[in-house]
Amino acid sequence: MNITQRKRILVTGGAGFLGSHLCQRLLHDGHEVICLDNFYSSSKDNILHLLDQPHFELLRHDVCVPLFVEVDEIYNLACPASPPHYQHDPVQTTKTSVLGAINMLGLAKRCKAKILQASTSEVYGDPQVHPQPEGYWGHVNPNGIRACYDEGKRCAETLFFDYHRQHGLRIKIARLFNTYGPNMHPNDGRVVSNFIVQALEGSPITLYGDGNQTRSFCFVSDLVEALVRLMDSPDDFTGPVNLGNPGEFTIRELAEKVIAQTGSKSELVFRPLPHDDPKQRQPDITLARSRLGWEPTIPLDQGLQKTIPYFAALLDKGLY
Ligand code: UDP
């Protein structure tokens, strides 16, 4: 890459699961990366291997506080994303989405930077339309225990579109469905990490409810490819665009796959279903296919094969 093609790119939440993979990809593509994180639910371990790269810079900073840097592009990923983490301090979760969006949009406006928002399938709530296309407005409980995340992300989308309409900002909205892979936090309470850790330890696999609720799981490298394509897409394409793997599985099927792949003797146990837990979720990715020429390449079985060794190594090193 020559110097004129190199961009200065800010990744908020850059030390998180997704952010760390994105930072690595952008550095690999030859860009300068500023990784911003307050380490609330992320780990420095995820980016240790990037710290000695000359075009990588780490800032410990909270997006709720304004930031002054000079950048060409912003990927706004900062926000705890697993239900136990975002419900731990729900007021802070809403602030992170809303104040974070305001601060990063303000930065983008001053720098005339292009800005991408990591929105979420949670904007569809417990969906009554299946699979979910972008035109579906969702079915969200505005005052339930997931609302701090769902409504925070919905408000962030509103802010992005108003900055676009009012100030002509170049925006991109990605609605991310469940994503998994190495660098997930072993303790984040999400289903893929929980099940793999439980299976490797031989402890019971905790199915919430009857395990018949569904999710669609996207391997992280597919998702990162989609984010980069979205950022690089023509300015008239703002999204929102669904990004996820349409392969849909019940949570029980996921448990069975994890048990089979780890050769675990863990048994299945049933626990109460958390409030407002969506019954089904599957992205309609027609728009991503047509506008980004993108679709996932790694099916669940293959992605689990790439993810299990990461957790096994953490357990071996006693890092969990
Ligand atoms: N889940 C489960 N056992 C666990 C963790 C999660 O059965 O140990 C279920 C959870 O109730 C939900 C699904 O798995 O129906 C996905 O949960 P996750 O927290 O990964 O993400 P969500 O899609 O709900 O945000």
Side-chain angles (χ1 to χ4, degrees), residues 180 217-223 225-226 229 244-246 285 289 293-303 306:
Y180 68 101
F217 300 100
C218 187
F219 190 68
V220 63
S221 57
D222 280 335
L223 209 287
E225 174 65 29
R229 285 189 192 207
N245 189 324
I285 60 164
R289 279 196 182 103
W294 172 85
E295 67 184 311
T297 58
I298 300 182
L300 181 57
D301 282 313
Q302 207 179 315
K306 294 168 179 277

Side-chain angles (χ1 to χ4, degrees), residues 83 146 178 190-191 194-195 206 208 213 215 251 277 281:
R146 293 178 87 107
N178 296 62
R190 313 203 84 173
V191 70
N194 272 11
F195 285 4
T206 52
Y208 300 163
Q213 68 271 38
R215 293 293 187 273
I251 294 307
D277 198 282
R281 189 183 281 160

Side-chain angles (χ1 to χ4, degrees), residues 81-84 86-87 120-122 146 149-150 177-179 184 188-195 198 204-217 250-252 254-255 269 271-281:
S82 89
Y86 72 62
Q87 287 163 15
T120 169
S121 54
E122 288 279 316
R146 293 178 87 107
Y149 187 72
D150 303 4
F177 284 64
N178 296 62
T179 306
M184 288 186 95
D188 79 355
R190 313 203 84 173
V191 70
V192 173
S193 43
N194 272 11
F195 285 4
Q198 289 162 346
I205 307 261
T206 52
L207 293 176
Y208 300 163
D210 58 12
N212 288 326
Q213 68 271 38
T214 68
R215 293 293 187 273
S216 305
F217 300 100
T250 66
I251 294 307
R252 182 192 271 268
L254 175 70
V269 295
R271 298 281 178 261
L273 189 68
H275 277 291
D276 293 334
D277 198 282
K279 281 179 274 311
Q280 52 182 3
R281 189 183 281 160

Side-chain angles (χ1 to χ4, degrees), residues 68-127:
F68 291 86
V69 290
E70 304 305 318
V71 288
D72 304 305
E73 291 179 352
I74 303 169
Y75 288 83
N76 189 36
L77 272 53
C79 192
S82 89
H85 281 174
Y86 72 62
Q87 287 163 15
H88 178 71
D89 189 349
V91 172
Q92 194 59 34
T93 298
T94 305
K95 283 185 182 173
T96 301
S97 282
V98 177
L99 296 178
I102 290 170
N103 288 329
M104 293 307 112
L105 286 162
L107 174 64
K109 186 175 164 218
R110 182 179 63 75
C111 295
K112 298 188 172 46
K114 195 167 14 169
I115 180 164
L116 181 150
Q117 168 69 358
S119 190
T120 169
S121 54
E122 288 279 316
V123 300
Y124 301 122
D126 190 4

Side-chain angles (χ1 to χ4, degrees), residues 74 105 108 113-117 156-165 168-174 230-231 233-240:
I74 303 169
L105 286 162
K114 195 167 14 169
I115 180 164
L116 181 150
Q117 168 69 358
E157 286 200 16
T158 307
L159 285 160
F160 268 67
F161 273 96
D162 283 333
Y163 267 80
H164 174 64
R165 285 184 287 253
L169 238 67
R170 292 174 297 156
I171 61 156
K172 308 282 179 186
I173 309 276
L230 176 57
M231 184 63 103
S233 64
D235 284 349
D236 68 348
F237 184 57
T238 59

